[in-house]
Amino acid sequence: MATSAIRKRKFNANEISAGTNAVINTVFWIYSALCVIPLLIVVAVSLSDERTVTVEGYNIWPKKFSLGAYDFLLNDWKPIVHSYGVSIFVTVVGTLVALSIMTLYAYPISRRDFKHRGIFSFIVFFTILFNSGLVPFYLTYKQGLHLQNTMLVLMLPMFVQGFFVILIRTFFSGSIPPALIESAKIDGAGELRTFVRIVLPLSLPVLASVGLLCTLNYWNDWFLSLLFINQEGPMSIQFRMYKTLLDIAYLSSNSQAYSAIMQANPNFQMPSETARMAMAVVGIGPIIFIYPFFQRYFIQGLTVGAVKG
Amino acid sequence: MEMEQATPTVPAAIDKPVRKAVRAKTLNQGYWKRYGVFYLMMAPALIVLIVNNYIPMAGALIAFKQMTYASPSFIQNFMDSPWVGWGNFKYLFASSDAWVITRNTMAYNAAFIVLNTIIGVGIAIALNVMRNRTLSKLHQTVLFLPYFMSWIILSYLVYAFLNPDIGILNKFVLPWFGAEPIDWYSDSKWWPVILPLVNTWKGIGYYAVIFLAAIVGIDNEYYEAAHMDGATKWRQIWTITIPLIRPVIITMTLLQIGRIFYADFGLFFQVTRNAGALYDKTLVIDTYVYQGFLVSGDIGMSSAAGLYQAVIGFILVLGANLVVRRISKEDALF
């Protein structure tokens, strides 16, 4: 990698012409701008004055700066903080459990000397190939296990994902030399000790990647909430954002209070458009913040699964 | 938790019948002694798989039943409901819905596959030939960012553009071109353009990164040799880069073809805000099943649609994998 980069520098003639390079650069600047602009619009609207927005429309720059929307959210911070708590809990616990049980399952089916590994590999494979569809899945959780409105229902369906199990298994069988396991056995270590002391420390790269992909899946999930959570249940931050976009009343537990104020003072405007976007900013925040640090591992994880060698 | 390790060794010197008997005995004792711990390790995930995947699979049979809700227990209801054979399927395919959702699902996914492949490869090659490495990394980071956002966030971003009263398009872009504002969420005409745009915007970073990883893996000596022979950079891309990453392109495409019957629920549900006025252009199998089941409560028809999707999807995955195996065995799923 490093040597090829150095060689590339030497091989100047092997590069594209300056003109083509300029064209490519321009195209990428435009595309990168297109990736960022929508986010800027959301941030700008959230920092704008409500009345200006409703009259003049959204803009990439706050025409009239105002912190009204954030003020409104702060006044009513409890539901948002609660949603954050739900999201963080589901993400952390879900990822830890998912990663543990998937790794524990992947190890035996990676062992060539395990006679029945074919059957157990197939059990996982088949779930990638065939799924039951939404209706029986829903009925199993709701009428079979009665798990609606629990945290568990937001975690359990994503505990074991076939693709991740296969990914970890592939790593185990490809990157852990069987001789190493053999020698541990000869030294008298049991299967579990071998697994914990020798296999796991060597597998940190794949575990980090799968763990991050799980984290992302849990954090971004709203579908399970849509299916199984109603007003009484734990509301994750994504689900609250979804509800807020449908109906501004979900933003706040004080919407009645606000309508009372509005009746008393017709000039008062509840910051609905701007508060919506402020809610989106609050929801996007962590992802944007974490993203630069973990991007490398994500890319590793994605490419491990797709590109071999 | 320490397990005692015992490896049954059978001396090869023993003659056959005796060896058989010894082996049978040691195997039965030895198997659990040796592999019992594996079963313990696999137990938690197995339980999850049974609950989450295999019980619902058995439940897929409700597509052949007329469900009744006399009892609170699902099993009891299942037992009590009369079988109706292919009734639900006949009912589904007699309506025009089946055709519309199948067409939408497959046409959109086909468009996504073409866009992801062509634009993804294009971006990956461009990132690779860019002279300035730092800029290349920067752009890679930026265009990969949307991949990390949930569909909820995407629905906000799209709404900022399409909000009929104060969205960017109706307020700034269309007036600038002198066009009339469009009521985006009730006029389905434009969605076949909007959805591929949004889907590509969100997902292209993923494909670009995968193709780029394949390109980076190409040995530089190919390029140097080509350069000696006087091949231009364009020639090199056509004769070296693309042929060498062809297995990856084919694999990625086939994986997507295997999923062509499964639409991305988030895209079609969140970004369209599930607007009924758009259904002729935006309803796909997944959203149809959700809508039919949880909104209209038509359990027979939606479970039939779900099973129809699962079975065709299964056949497509097997077919796609068969083709992958033909092309490059190690890229095949199984």
Side-chain angles (χ1 to χ4, degrees), chain A residues 16 113 116 123 141 238 291, chain B residues 31 35 52 54 131 141 150:
Chain A
I16 47 172
D113 57 335
H116 294 113
I123 288 174
Y141 277 100
Q238 299 288 346
Y291 169 72
Chain B
Y31 183 83
Y35 298 124
N52 188 60
Y54 286 97
R131 284 181 174 193
T141 305
S150 70

Side-chain angles (χ1 to χ4, degrees), chain B residues 118-242:
Chain B
I118 293 175
I119 299 177
V121 171
I123 286 180
I125 289 175
L127 281 172
N128 181 251
V129 297
M130 219 185 244
R131 284 181 174 193
N132 185 330
R133 294 280 120 208
T134 325
L135 269 186
S136 170
K137 274 268 177 288
L138 171 83
H139 289 307
Q140 200 184 316
T141 305
V142 173
L143 68 96
F144 197 33
L145 175 65
Y147 181 79
F148 288 74
M149 299 176 191
S150 70
W151 282 114
I152 307 274
I153 294 173
L154 262 280
S155 71
Y156 271 85
L157 300 182
V158 172
Y159 182 71
F161 281 85
L162 302 186
N163 181 324
D165 308 317
I166 53 176
I168 298 279
L169 282 179
N170 280 359
K171 215 51 178 179
F172 293 97
V173 180
L174 293 181
W176 198 73
F177 285 108
E180 285 299 300
I182 296 167
D183 197 350
W184 299 100
Y185 290 103
S186 59
D187 180 356
S188 66
K189 195 166 73 191
W190 297 97
W191 285 90
V193 178
I194 297 169
L195 288 171
L197 266 176
V198 172
N199 189 66
T200 307
W201 186 83
K202 183 174 189 287
I204 202 66
Y206 169 76
Y207 290 96
V209 157
I210 283 176
F211 294 135
L212 186 61
I215 293 173
V216 167
I218 297 173
D219 195 333
N220 221 27
E221 281 169 17
Y222 289 110
Y223 294 109
E224 281 168 22
H227 181 71
M228 298 282 183
D229 295 343
T232 60
K233 194 71 203 174
W234 285 114
R235 249 322 284 256
Q236 292 174 24
I237 287 170
W238 280 113
T239 53
I240 300 167
T241 313
I242 292 185

Side-chain angles (χ1 to χ4, degrees), chain A residues 1 4 7-9 11 13-18 20-21 24-25 28-29 31-32 34-36 38-39 41-42 53-59 101 104-105 107-109 111 113-114 116 120 123-127 129-132 134-141 143 145-146 156-157 159-160 185 189-193 195 216 220 222-223 226-227 238 241-242 244-246 273 276-277 280 284 287-288 291 295 298-299 302-303 306-308, chain B residues 1-3 5 31 34-35 37-39 41-42 44-46 48-49 51-57 59-60 62 69 72 74 77 123 126-127 129-131 133 135 138-153 155-157 159-161 163 166-168 171-172 200-201 204 206 209-210 213 216 220 223-224 227-228 233-234 236 248 252 262 265-266 269-270 273 289-290 293-294 299 302-303 310-311 314 317 330 333-334:
Chain A
M1 189 74 214
S4 73
R7 228 188 265 153
K8 263 222 166 87
R9 287 280 145 258
F11 246 94
N14 209 5
E15 288 186 335
I16 47 172
S17 67
T20 319
N21 194 46
I24 289 179
N25 270 312
F28 270 115
W29 279 117
Y31 191 84
S32 289
L34 287 177
C35 287
V36 178
L39 290 169
I41 292 168
V42 169
V53 168
T54 47
V55 174
E56 303 201 14
Y58 294 152
N59 202 317
I101 67 179
L104 283 169
Y105 193 94
Y107 180 64
I109 60 173
R111 283 280 299 270
D113 57 335
F114 176 43
H116 294 113
F120 291 103
I123 288 174
V124 169
F125 254 135
F126 194 66
T127 63
L129 304 179
F130 189 84
N131 74 29
S132 57
L134 174 71
V135 181
F137 169 80
Y138 177 88
L139 293 174
T140 305
Y141 277 100
Q143 296 187 354
L145 300 164
H146 299 287
L156 190 93
F159 275 165
V160 181
K185 263 199 213 152
E191 290 293 357
L192 263 179
R193 180 188 285 238
F195 174 68
L216 190 70
N220 278 343
W222 46 271
F223 185 59
L226 182 74
L227 293 181
Q238 299 288 346
M241 281 165 73
Y242 163 71
T244 303
L245 192 59
L246 285 184
E273 291 295 340
R276 250 191 200 139
M277 292 302 170
I284 299 170
I287 288 283
I288 303 283
Y291 169 72
Q295 188 212 358
F298 271 116
I299 289 178
L302 294 174
T303 47
V307 183
K308 291 175 183 163
Chain B
M1 235 183 90
E2 261 318 303
M3 293 289 289
Q5 197 47 45
Y31 183 83
R34 213 177 137 175
Y35 298 124
V37 66
F38 281 174
Y39 284 84
M41 287 166 101
M42 292 190 295
L46 265 180
V48 172
L49 284 170
V51 167
N52 188 60
N53 300 85
Y54 286 97
I55 292 177
M57 270 183 215
I62 59 174
Y69 293 108
F74 173 59
N77 284 331
I123 286 180
L127 281 172
V129 297
M130 219 185 244
R131 284 181 174 193
R133 294 280 120 208
L135 269 186
L138 171 83
H139 289 307
Q140 200 184 316
T141 305
V142 173
L143 68 96
F144 197 33
L145 175 65
Y147 181 79
F148 288 74
M149 299 176 191
S150 70
W151 282 114
I152 307 274
I153 294 173
S155 71
Y156 271 85
L157 300 182
Y159 182 71
F161 281 85
N163 181 324
I166 53 176
I168 298 279
K171 215 51 178 179
F172 293 97
T200 307
W201 186 83
I204 202 66
Y206 169 76
V209 157
I210 283 176
V216 167
N220 221 27
Y223 294 109
E224 281 168 22
H227 181 71
M228 298 282 183
K233 194 71 203 174
W234 285 114
Q236 292 174 24
V248 179
M252 292 308 292
Y262 287 91
F265 185 91
F269 183 81
Q270 295 291 356
R273 303 185 74 198
V289 171
Y290 171 85
F293 174 45
L294 288 169
I299 188 166
S302 11
S303 52
V311 171
F314 180 61
V317 174
E330 69 263 20
L333 198 58
F334 46 92

Side-chain angles (χ1 to χ4, degrees), chain A residues 99 102-103 106 163-173 175-176 199-214 297-298 300-305:
Chain A
L99 196 57
M102 285 195 291
T103 310
F163 176 71
F164 290 159
V165 176
I166 301 301
L167 211 122
I168 302 170
R169 186 203 70 170
T170 307
F171 185 90
F172 283 160
S173 53
S175 307
I176 312 272
V199 178
L200 283 186
L202 287 174
S203 314
L204 288 178
V206 77
L207 296 183
S209 295
V210 172
L212 276 170
L213 291 171
C214 280
Y297 298 99
F298 271 116
Q300 258 171 22
L302 294 174
T303 47
V304 161

